[in-house]
Each structure stands twice: as C-alpha cells, then as structure tokens.
Amino acid sequence: GVKLSGGQRQRIAIARVLLKDALMPRVIVEDFPAKPDDYDFEGYSAAALVIYEGSTFGAEGLRGEQGTSEELRLSIIVLVRSLRGNDGAYGLLRDVREALHGVSLAGATGLRPVSIKLDGVREGVFQYQLDFAGRLPALPAKTAGVLVPRYR
C-alpha cells in the first residue's frame, strides 16, 4: 500500500468526518477504494469515496491528486443511482460542496471546489468526481537576514 504522511491522514480523516456528518445515514462514506466502478453500496442510496495521491482505479491509473507543493487537493467520487431528490446526484453534489467548501485542512486556506464532472454511467449508477483545492502557506526562506517567501 501507499504510505501516507501525517497531513494526508489528517486531511482524509477530517474530510471523511465532515462528509459523514453531512451525508449519513443515507450515504456510505469510505476512503480511497481500489475501483469505484465495482464499488458495492447496497443498502445505501449513494456512496461518497474520498481519494488522494496514491489512489488507483484499474487501468486508468492515478486519479487522486496531491497538487503542487503550495496546493492541497482532495477529490470525492460520488456514486448514485438517481439524479433527482435529496438522495439523487444533484442533491448529493450540493451536500458534498456545502460540507467541504471553505473548510481549512492541515493549515491550508479554505477548500474551494475546482471541478465537478460526470465520469460516466454504468449499469444505472452515475459516477461524479468533485475536486477541491486550498492554498498552503508559503514557507519562508532566510536570505541575508531578510525573510523571503519561497515559491516553487
């Protein structure tokens, strides 16, 4: 498996708790599954799957992103059988955005949604991906007694 840094574990745990608070008991919330296409969410109206750098999805390879050294990225896959209603895709996408928008994880600025896209429909299950990003504070570099922000 992939080794996670303390910050990555913290971001995933906080995102999972926030999503569970907003979506449970109607939606199951899980971490970085191997293949969301085959994910079984029997007994729930939908699933919200938290992904990060190192998550893999079959032949497609890496889907989760960490972003640049100054950016924190978090992706959520939403699997749902319906489009309308509170348990449908439109309501769940709204609930995920509201649960994570503006949240500061591991010292970053508040998360903002950067993309929402339909990844596909398979056997009556709609798969959406929501990407969030937040800026991490620059680490200062000391140069001749003057602190200068360091950007990569």
Side-chain angles (χ1 to χ4, degrees), residues 1 32 39-40 44 47 49 59-60 68-70 84-85 96 99 107 117 124 130 137 149 151-152:
F32 44 87
Y39 190 79
D40 181 17
Y44 294 91
L49 310 172
E60 295 177 20
T68 67
S69 60
E70 290 90 23
R84 303 204 188 285
V96 170
K117 63 184 176 185
L130 292 87
Y151 298 96
R152 295 180 188 178

Side-chain angles (χ1 to χ4, degrees), residues 90-109:
Y90 304 134
L92 291 174
L93 294 171
R94 177 198 63 230
D95 292 347
V96 170
R97 272 194 325 268
E98 288 176 359
L100 295 178
H101 186 93
V103 172
S104 178
L105 301 178
T109 60

Side-chain angles (χ1 to χ4, degrees), residues 32-47:
F32 44 87
K35 290 178 70 180
D37 290 345
D38 298 331
Y39 190 79
D40 181 17
F41 55 102
E42 190 68 33
Y44 294 91
S45 61

Side-chain angles (χ1 to χ4, degrees), residues 16-92:
R16 186 178 55 246
V17 166
L18 292 170
L19 289 172
K20 282 183 178 182
D21 286 348
L23 305 175
M24 293 289 282
R26 61 191 175 156
V27 176
I28 188 167
V29 178
E30 296 284 335
D31 293 344
F32 44 87
K35 290 178 70 180
D37 290 345
D38 298 331
Y39 190 79
D40 181 17
F41 55 102
E42 190 68 33
Y44 294 91
S45 61
L49 310 172
V50 180
I51 62 176
Y52 69 99
E53 182 180 24
S55 298
T56 58
F57 296 92
E60 295 177 20
L62 182 67
R63 289 282 299 277
E65 294 183 40
Q66 185 62 31
T68 67
S69 60
E70 290 90 23
E71 186 176 63
L72 176 146
R73 292 189 63 103
L74 183 68
S75 297
I76 310 296
I77 298 289
V78 173
L79 303 175
V80 63
R81 292 183 182 94
S82 171
L83 293 176
R84 303 204 188 285
N86 284 339
D87 292 342
Y90 304 134
L92 291 174

